[in-house]
Amino acid sequence: QVQLVQSGGGLVQFGGSLRLSCGAPGFTLDYYTVVWFRQAPGKEREGLSCISNSDSTFYADSVKGRFTISRDNTKNMVYLQMNSLKPEDTAVYYCATALGGIYYWWRPSEFDYWGQGTQVTVSS
């Protein structure tokens, strides 16, 4: 069983920055693709950014140029650096991974394991 543990998030002003972290105690994350999603109230879960097991990165248009995904294999962590935050970025953010192949990284249904979620609130 894979457990993803998130940290970071909180309240930030418009234009500010936050960093989210995703770890997996007892599981080697660097062998697997990890994706960050978010879900705002009343909206579907949205795929934001993906880092593959070969460290290729992909971004949704809504965050391209503002968010950066990275991993630190020495710490077994994946990060999402979020800059130039806007009120519309307010949501619960999740990291996710899967043991099998992933064809459409932006689809929540591709993923087996999820972090507990962390609230990000951007004030105007």
Side-chain angles (χ1 to χ4, degrees), residues 33-38 44-50 60 96-98 101-114:
T33 292
V34 177
V35 174
W36 286 96
F37 289 83
R38 69 185 177 193
E44 294 186 352
R45 195 163 292 192
E46 175 190 11
L48 302 176
S49 183
C50 168
T97 193
I102 295 167
Y103 297 96
Y104 304 104
W105 65 262
W106 58 89
R107 291 183 179 175
S109 58
E110 296 272 333
F111 296 88
D112 306 313
Y113 302 103
W114 293 82

Side-chain angles (χ1 to χ4, degrees), residues 14 38 40 43 46 66 85-91 93 122:
F14 177 85
R38 69 185 177 193
K43 294 190 176 182
E46 175 190 11
R66 299 189 299 123
L85 284 162
K86 309 173 184 179
E88 51 263 45
D89 294 317
T90 296
Y93 285 67
V122 184

Side-chain angles (χ1 to χ4, degrees), residues 14-65:
F14 177 85
S17 298
L18 285 173
R19 189 179 79 160
L20 305 181
S21 301
C22 178
F27 178 78
T28 305
L29 265 182
D30 55 325
Y31 295 156
Y32 300 96
T33 292
V34 177
V35 174
W36 286 96
F37 289 83
R38 69 185 177 193
Q39 189 164 21
K43 294 190 176 182
E44 294 186 352
R45 195 163 292 192
E46 175 190 11
L48 302 176
S49 183
C50 168
I51 186 164
S52 74
N53 56 359
S54 60
D55 288 345
S56 296
T57 57
F58 306 90
Y59 297 92
D61 287 344
S62 58
V63 303
K64 198 173 295 181

